[in-house]
Amino acid sequence: DIVMTQTPLSSPVTLGQPASISCRSSQSLVHSDGNTYLSWLQQRPGQPPRLLIYKISNRFSGVPDRFSGSGAGTDFTLKISRVEAEDVGVYYCMQATQFPLTFGGGTKVEIK
Amino acid sequence: QVQLVESGGGVVQPGRSLRLSCAASGITFSSYGMHWVRQAPGKGLEWVAVISYDGNNKYYADSVKGRFTISRDNSKNTLYLQMNSLRVEDTAVYYCAKDGSLDYWGQGTLVTVSS
């Protein structure tokens, strides 16, 4: 199974300041079809997860442009350019290149 | 808009069975693969199973293989998860999610396995 490792576990951020979350996979996420199926999900308190970013850097419908994804191979990053109060929650990276799908352990974003 | 609504959760004793359902609307259900993902209380996300758009291909997490069965009825726009031989460690909120990127999720249904 592909192991997804996220850092940091927790990220206290001042409103309006940037935040960055890293995700590393135990093996390359490049699929045989040439795509890299790395996604980022947000889970607000008491809510189900919500897709933010798919295939490394594609924002899903309705996702604000302060969220961006980057990376390649085994190293990926989610950036929030200016954190807002509604961004509080846990963020997960997820790989769908190979079964079983696997998730990172999550990064909690909170306001300082 | 896309809606996924899970049902069927509850409290069940270890070793017993439960069937979850996920009713889909706002999408052409028969065109998409569907997943079950679970989240134990206070824990992260764990993928459980996937079924292809036509039901012909299914994959399972090792933790549920041989005990859980994913299925679908495209005429009813509904996804199922039959859970047998339930264990305490299966206690979780179970979510259904659409397609390869899990682009839409339901609100989840809580399954509690306890004696």
Side-chain angles (χ1 to χ4, degrees):
Chain A
D1 298 1
I2 298 176
V3 176
M4 306 295 288
T5 303
Q6 279 182 241
T7 54
L9 289 179
S10 176
S11 179
V13 186
T14 302
L15 285 173
Q17 292 301 302
S20 181
I21 301 170
S22 294
C23 176
R24 178 167 288 178
S25 57
S26 60
Q27 59 192 79
S28 174
L29 297 185
V30 180
H31 193 274
S32 55
D33 66 7
N35 290 305
T36 299
Y37 295 100
L38 184 283
S39 299
W40 290 95
L41 304 163
Q42 175 197 59
Q43 187 172 31
R44 292 169 171 154
Q47 294 294 312
R50 163 198 178 201
L51 179 66
L52 294 178
I53 303 283
Y54 63 97
K55 286 196 281 186
I56 302 178
S57 59
N58 296 275
R59 266 190 306 276
F60 187 56
S61 174
V63 174
D65 61 7
R66 64 179 181 275
F67 291 93
S68 64
S70 62
T74 62
D75 286 285
F76 306 94
T77 302
L78 175 71
K79 291 184 179 174
I80 310 174
S81 59
R82 295 172 304 279
V83 171
E84 298 188 5
E86 66 178 18
D87 299 335
V88 164
V90 180
Y91 291 76
Y92 297 93
C93 59
M94 180 199 82
Q95 69 81 21
T97 293
Q98 179 184 114
F99 291 123
L101 273 62
T102 47
F103 297 89
T107 295
K108 190 172 186 178
V109 171
E110 51 196 359
I111 305 301
K112 274 184 189 174
Chain B
Q1 74 280 20
V2 179
Q3 268 204 310
L4 300 173
V5 179
E6 302 92 339
S7 60
V11 180
V12 61
Q13 292 179 325
R16 304 299 290 262
S17 299
L18 209 57
R19 188 176 84 153
L20 305 183
S21 299
C22 168
S25 59
I27 58 171
T28 305
F29 182 70
S30 58
S31 296
Y32 298 103
M34 295 292 296
H35 300 258
W36 287 101
V37 177
R38 68 185 181 183
Q39 187 170 34
K43 302 296 185 183
L45 301 169
E46 180 188 14
W47 176 80
V48 173
V50 63
I51 187 168
S52 59
Y53 69 98
D54 57 5
N56 286 338
N57 294 291
K58 306 171 186 181
Y59 296 93
Y60 298 92
D62 285 346
S63 57
V64 307
K65 203 173 294 182
R67 300 188 299 122
F68 290 12
T69 301
I70 189 171
S71 62
R72 65 191 298 158
D73 186 336
N74 285 344
S75 68
K76 295 182 178 178
N77 290 346
T78 302
L79 173 73
Y80 301 102
L81 185 67
Q82 177 67 42
M83 304 187 295
N84 298 333
S85 303
L86 281 161
R87 304 168 180 168
V88 170
E89 55 265 34
D90 295 319
T91 295
V93 174
Y94 285 74
Y95 298 101
C96 60
K98 168 186 164 283
D99 209 16
S101 292
L102 280 66
D103 50 10
Y104 290 97
W105 294 63
Q107 289 293 316
T109 187
L110 176 62
V111 172
T112 302
V113 184
S114 172
S115 54

